[in-house]
Amino acid sequence: SLGFQDVLSHRRTSPVTSKELQGWSSDQNKWNEKLYPFWEEGDPRWKDCWKGGRVTAKLDTDSPALVGSNITVTVTLQFPKCQKEDNDGHIIYERNCTQDSPASQDQQVYVYNWTEWTNSCGWENCTSNHSHNVFPDGRPFPHYPGWRRRNFIYVFHTLGQYYQVIGRSSAKLTVNTANMTLGEHVMVATVYRRGHSAYVPIARANATYVITDKIPISVNMFQKHDRNISDYIFIKGSPIIYNVKIHDPSYYLNNSAISYKWNFGDGSGLYVVSSPTTSHIYTVQGNFTPNVNVQAIIPVPCRPVTPTASLPTSAVMTAASSNSDSSTAVELLEDNPEGGCHIYRNGYYGTGISVVEGILEVNIIQMTSIQMTESQAENSLVDFVVTCQGSLPTDVCTVVSDPTCQVSKSVVCNPVIVTDECLLTIRRAFEEPGTYCVNITLGDDTSQALASALISVNGGSPSGATEGVFIFLGLLAVFGTIGAFVLYKRYKQYKPIERSAGQAENQEGLTAYFSNFKAIFFPSSTERNPLLKSKPGIV
């Protein structure tokens, strides 16, 4: 006769390497092969185990898991095309999806109508010992509300133990990891469906999960003027924001005292903070290795002292007692009885970054209307004189938007060559009179910064233009503050647009007012005749 180990391990030996998991059973138990037949891989019966095609199972875990926390395992069945599970647990064909659908939409086509099957003696009304409502080890199904609508049997297997549940098209299992050994393990799920005289295997799935005594952490880094946060190249003199993410899906550390010890690798010393978010400014260029050590002090129940053999883990329990159920305690320390008992866990993250000179600030120092002959009056032209601090730019982008800086009208990007001093003139054309929000961005390979101006273009009414500018200037500040961060991140990279020549000069008047502040970017669009190169040094 077969045992659970033979079926669930595919006849491979699976030695027990963990203490007993709560609610789980040893895979040395006998398997009811008559009620739950076992098929080897490649058995031709797999092709006919389901009507309309082959069912697959997807198994996911929220690993890695800190030892002592809970790990969640989820199995989801994926049915053949046009099949789904309805509210009663039946498997049906979706309407208007298959040629087999009936002409009348009031009639439903079943793949499996479980109600018809469960009305037979073999499933619900029998009182004999041969009832089918049992698991592979002979234990009866739990009769909680709605159990008859759960027509799939899931058997999970790991660490020489198994767990069995009934469910619908998905099943979720939560396991406490206190008794699990550290390391990488495999979880296997075998799924059966109801049959007329026995259960039928329909799918198998497995996934790897990790149990660790180190707090799983990751660190996100952000810098305001950084052009590409994924290249680990940052700008000197600008704060880098570090945000530590702790992977704790079961909220095991919710009641723990957590501290973060930072070493930014530039000789500035160690910094201990209680917040997961911190910042640091590098004042010199070079390569650095910032790292953080996260420590959690986890409260645990105090238990009588029971000396145990040391096991391979770095955890330390501090108390007047030892948690004899935990396989991770290696050292006993006397603690203040009033302070309770605790376990110390640590997590570490380190990486390498490069700090370079970057563009830190952009300023528009002058805007000039270009006077044109009447015969050339097609567009209004404006020259923007721009300076910057930091490294020299290699490209410039101009975004022209509505007065609220919310709706982009055009985006133009061009390469520039600046040899010694960051001072350049950018000429842009405006086809129609009106008030515009203009963002000018200077960038190099690693950084970018911008300045904003609100300008009013009018064909000869300076006073009216002035009034319009001051009305919209307040709106610009409000909307810019609200949307700056989100839109800056989204639209901070631009693709160059081909230059176009042949633009005519225009003699219309223009009044320009501007405010230098950090603003926002907008979705790109193409600007018609955006650029004039009539003078040397003008972009």
Side-chain angles (χ1 to χ4, degrees):
S1 62
L2 294 177
F4 274 76
Q5 183 185 91
D6 301 318
V7 175
L8 304 178
S9 300
H10 304 289
R11 300 186 186 275
R12 294 191 301 267
T13 302
S14 177
V16 177
T17 56
S18 175
K19 293 182 180 180
E20 182 178 345
L21 305 178
Q22 185 176 1
W24 291 57
S25 304
S26 170
D27 64 6
Q28 301 302 308
N29 292 343
K30 298 301 180 182
W31 176 280
N32 186 342
E33 189 177 8
K34 182 177 179 180
L35 192 58
Y36 291 85
F38 169 62
W39 300 342
E40 297 279 3
E41 290 295 334
D43 192 305
R45 289 176 291 183
W46 282 106
K47 297 180 180 180
D48 301 321
C49 67
W50 189 268
K51 296 178 184 178
R54 184 73 187 268
V55 176
T56 59
K58 187 175 184 294
L59 193 152
D60 297 301
T61 74
D62 57 6
S63 166
L66 181 64
V67 65
S69 68
N70 293 335
I71 186 171
T72 298
V73 181
T74 304
V75 180
T76 304
L77 297 181
Q78 298 172 336
F79 300 115
K81 183 181 179 180
C82 298
Q83 297 183 12
K84 67 176 183 179
E85 184 181 47
D86 69 6
N87 293 333
D88 293 322
H90 301 305
I91 309 302
I92 60 175
Y93 284 109
E94 296 184 51
R95 300 185 189 278
N96 301 323
C97 181
T98 174
Q99 295 180 353
D100 296 332
S101 295
S104 172
Q105 293 300 305
D106 296 331
Q107 183 181 357
Q108 181 63 62
V109 175
Y110 287 91
V111 182
Y112 291 105
N113 186 342
W114 307 115
T115 303
E116 294 180 357
W117 294 14
T118 56
N119 285 337
S120 67
C121 176
W123 292 110
E124 184 175 348
N125 299 323
C126 288
T127 57
S128 67
N129 293 331
H130 302 288
S131 172
H132 291 95
N133 295 323
V134 294
F135 288 111
D137 62 0
R139 297 180 188 176
F141 291 164
H143 289 190
Y144 41 70
W147 70 274
R148 292 188 182 92
R149 296 181 180 180
R150 305 189 179 208
N151 299 290
F152 298 97
I153 291 80
Y154 297 83
V155 184
F156 297 89
H157 182 249
T158 190
L159 299 173
Q161 301 173 60
Y162 69 88
Y163 190 89
Q164 45 198 9
V165 296
I166 57 174
R168 297 180 58 168
S169 58
S170 65
K172 181 181 291 186
L173 178 67
T174 300
V175 189
N176 186 267
T177 63
N179 286 343
M180 289 187 174
T181 53
L182 304 180
E184 185 177 283
H185 308 293
V186 176
M187 179 73 70
V188 178
T190 301
V191 187
Y192 283 75
R193 68 160 174 85
R194 291 190 185 274
H196 284 288
S197 59
Y199 291 92
V200 180
I202 60 170
R204 290 176 183 152
N206 64 78
T208 300
Y209 64 97
V210 175
I211 308 299
T212 177
D213 60 350
K214 306 296 183 184
I215 301 174
I217 65 173
S218 61
V219 176
N220 296 328
M221 292 176 282
F222 166 77
Q223 191 177 48
K224 182 177 181 181
H225 299 295
D226 187 25
R227 195 162 196 167
N228 182 7
I229 60 174
S230 63
D231 61 4
Y232 292 91
I233 300 176
F234 297 92
I235 306 165
K236 183 188 76 173
S238 180
I240 302 175
I241 307 300
Y242 297 88
N243 187 22
V244 180
K245 300 290 187 180
I246 296 179
H247 181 72
D248 183 29
S250 67
Y251 308 105
Y252 176 62
L253 300 178
N254 262 16
N255 297 321
S256 304
I258 302 177
S259 61
Y260 305 81
K261 182 187 294 184
W262 281 97
N263 183 345
F264 297 103
D266 58 353
S268 58
L270 299 177
Y271 299 86
V272 180
V273 295
S274 58
S275 170
T277 301
T278 190
S279 64
H280 185 70
I281 298 176
Y282 289 89
T283 58
V284 295
Q285 301 181 57
N287 296 320
F288 304 95
T289 55
N291 61 79
V292 61
N293 185 76
V294 179
Q295 183 179 82
I297 305 176
I298 308 169
V300 295
C302 296
R303 301 193 179 184
V305 176
T306 304
T308 57
S310 297
L311 294 176
T313 177
S314 64
V316 178
M317 176 175 289
T318 63
S321 63
S322 166
N323 185 345
S324 59
D325 289 343
S326 173
S327 62
T328 60
V330 296
E331 184 177 354
L332 300 178
L333 299 177
E334 288 292 333
D335 198 4
N336 185 342
E338 296 181 358
C341 303
H342 303 86
I343 296 177
Y344 288 78
R345 299 289 185 197
N346 295 280
Y348 177 85
Y349 176 89
T351 189
I353 66 171
S354 296
V355 176
V356 299
E357 190 78 38
I359 301 174
L360 296 178
E361 185 175 348
V362 175
N363 292 289
I364 302 172
I365 62 173
Q366 183 179 349
M367 290 187 291
T368 306
S369 172
I370 305 301
Q371 301 298 322
M372 299 182 181
T373 64
E374 187 173 350
S375 62
Q376 297 173 323
E378 179 182 350
N379 297 321
S380 297
L381 301 178
V382 181
D383 279 355
F384 299 86
V385 181
V386 179
T387 64
C388 66
Q389 297 180 10
S391 61
L392 298 177
T394 58
D395 58 75
V396 56
C397 287
T398 305
V399 182
V400 178
S401 307
D402 72 332
T404 67
C405 296
Q406 298 299 299
V407 180
S408 174
K409 296 181 177 296
S410 64
V411 175
V412 178
C413 293
N414 299 103
V416 294
I417 299 176
V418 181
T419 56
D420 48 8
E421 181 184 5
C422 184
L423 177 65
L424 65 158
T425 301
I426 303 166
R427 179 170 293 179
R428 291 294 179 255
F430 298 85
E431 295 181 354
E432 299 177 354
T435 303
Y436 299 92
C437 171
V438 178
N439 287 311
I440 297 178
T441 305
L442 302 184
D444 58 14
D445 290 340
T446 60
S447 63
Q448 60 185 6
L450 76 145
S452 296
L454 191 66
I455 69 170
S456 181
V457 179
N458 197 305
S461 177
S463 60
T466 302
E467 180 181 0
V469 166
F470 283 110
I471 291 175
F472 285 113
L473 188 58
L475 292 175
L476 175 66
V478 173
F479 285 108
T481 302
I482 296 174
F485 179 77
V486 175
L487 295 181
Y488 175 80
K489 289 292 294 174
R490 180 177 177 186
Y491 298 111
K492 66 178 183 175
Q493 298 197 33
Y494 295 91
K495 296 183 179 178
I497 297 176
E498 299 259 80
R499 304 187 184 189
S500 59
Q503 297 176 341
E505 297 193 345
N506 195 338
Q507 196 177 3
E508 293 188 13
L510 173 146
T511 304
Y513 300 85
F514 62 90
S515 172
N516 293 326
F517 57 89
K518 300 309 170 188
I520 54 181
F521 287 105
F522 305 88
S524 61
S525 62
T526 303
E527 178 181 10
R528 188 174 63 183
N529 299 327
L531 192 63
L532 291 181
K533 295 286 291 181
S534 59
K535 296 181 181 180
I538 298 179
V539 177

